[in-house]
Amino acid sequence: TRIRPSSKRCAVIGGSGFLGRHLVEKLLDKGYTVSVFDIRHSYELPGVTFHQGDLCDKQALLTALQDVSLVFHCASPAPASDDKALFQRVNILGTQTVLQACTEAGVQKVVLTSSASVVFEGTDIKDGREDLPYAKKPIDYYTETKIEQEKLVLKACDKEKGLLTVAIRPHGIFGPRDPQLVPILVDTARRGKMKFIIGDGCNLVDFTFVENVVHGHILAAESLRPESPICGKAYHITNDEPVRF
Ligand code: NAD
């Protein structure tokens, strides 16, 4: 099939972050024209246009989304924060603003980075599928607002209006430039604070290599068409094997 030039114009909201930057680099490799929208401007890359702004600011978003047909939304406050108001503002109100801006700018596809924690109630899940219900008692404000965010994005999928949406749910992400997961583990171990075992030592935790997460996002974006069964759905994403933890 012939690809219309505009269908390769995309924006990565949260493109200055760990996952976002990997996504940007892969999209460039694949011949996409990429704009980054982020509250911070953390690197330079030839071929990328940076728009610094808060995703709660619709005007700023509209400038960044001009002529863009595909949006990846992977911005979020850091999960470790305990700032309920910040999570609500960015993940809920901000996502509503992103969706409004996408509609006004004529964006055709939105791929959201959600999280596998949206189905986690604090008890073990093995081989969990997407038909698990959302957690009724989310473990923290981050998760509570990731659930609302995912619902908003999936509900916005509207073939008549020409906006198609999908959500990708990774659990822990690791890989080059990871600012959180491995550095925090290493630091905790160095401080001698990992000398205990929770449970019987056979717990499994799901981590996905960042390039696999990126691959999942791009596959979702490229499969998102009006006739596609993925429209308005969420997908867990993982490597082949969980990591023994
Ligand atoms: P990150 O903190 O490295 O990147 C998030 C980016 O969002 C940052 O660059 C930040 O500046 C930007 N941002 C935050 N608030 C903003 C605002 N108001 N306006 C504009 N930009 C804003 O985090 P990450 O690990 O790359 O996570 C990306 C996405 O993946 C998030 O949605 C997160 O919930 C999800 N996720 C991450 C993991 C993980 O293990 N890292 C696991 C599951 C889901």
Side-chain angles (χ1 to χ4, degrees):
T1 52
R2 224 169 68 84
I3 294 174
R4 280 176 295 137
S6 68
S7 69
K8 286 222 138 188
R9 288 191 79 91
C10 66
V12 180
I13 302 176
S16 292
F18 167 49
L19 173 64
R21 182 172 170 186
H22 280 279
L23 192 51
V24 168
E25 289 171 350
K26 180 54 91 181
L27 287 164
L28 287 175
D29 275 1
K30 290 178 72 82
Y32 283 82
T33 305
V34 185
S35 294
V36 165
F37 184 91
D38 200 296
I39 206 160
R40 64 195 172 111
H41 183 171
S42 61
Y43 62 96
E44 295 291 345
L45 206 55
V48 178
T49 313
F50 281 90
H51 298 265
Q52 199 168 351
D54 187 323
L55 59 80
C56 300
D57 177 351
K58 193 169 82 179
Q59 257 349 92
L61 278 168
L62 283 172
T63 310
L65 297 184
Q66 252 177 26
D67 298 327
V68 163
S69 66
L70 164 62
V71 166
F72 294 92
H73 177 6
C74 56
S76 169
S81 157
D82 202 26
D83 188 338
K84 183 176 184 180
L86 178 70
F87 282 123
Q88 285 181 330
R89 192 180 73 81
V90 177
N91 286 351
I92 302 180
L93 293 178
T95 298
Q96 276 168 345
T97 311
V98 167
L99 291 167
Q100 275 164 12
C102 286
T103 306
E104 285 179 33
V107 169
Q108 290 146 27
K109 303 179 186 186
V110 175
V111 179
L112 171 72
T113 314
S114 180
S115 167
S117 61
V118 299
V119 295
F120 183 60
E121 292 269 18
T123 49
D124 292 349
I125 298 175
K126 200 169 175 211
D127 300 330
R129 298 187 347 176
E130 288 80 0
D131 53 7
L132 283 168
Y134 286 114
K136 286 193 195 65
K137 289 186 193 147
I139 50 168
D140 52 21
Y141 298 134
Y142 166 76
T143 311
E144 191 178 304
T145 57
K146 288 298 278 185
I147 293 175
E148 291 313 310
Q149 175 190 55
E150 187 187 280
K151 287 182 182 168
L152 284 168
V153 169
L154 298 183
K155 211 173 67 191
C157 189
D158 187 332
K159 293 174 195 174
E160 306 299 310
K161 285 194 190 151
L163 183 68
L164 304 181
T165 65
V166 65
I168 300 297
R169 295 175 177 170
H171 189 238
I173 307 174
F174 68 94
R177 300 190 300 256
D178 158 25
Q180 298 183 63
L181 187 72
V182 175
I184 291 174
L185 278 180
V186 170
D187 184 53
T188 314
R190 280 210 178 109
R191 287 188 288 116
K193 298 214 164 158
M194 298 238 315
K195 291 180 180 154
F196 53 85
I197 292 175
I198 299 172
D200 60 5
C202 294
N203 293 340
L204 299 175
V205 177
D206 188 49
F207 293 121
T208 308
F209 183 53
V210 65
E211 286 180 15
N212 289 337
V213 181
V214 165
H215 183 58
H217 279 68
I218 296 176
L219 280 182
E222 292 184 345
S223 313
L224 201 52
R225 293 191 201 90
E227 66 282 8
S228 161
I230 75 168
C231 290
K233 300 228 175 83
Y235 291 90
H236 294 161
I237 182 148
T238 182
N239 294 320
D240 280 353
E241 291 290 332
V243 177
R244 200 164 285 286
F245 198 65

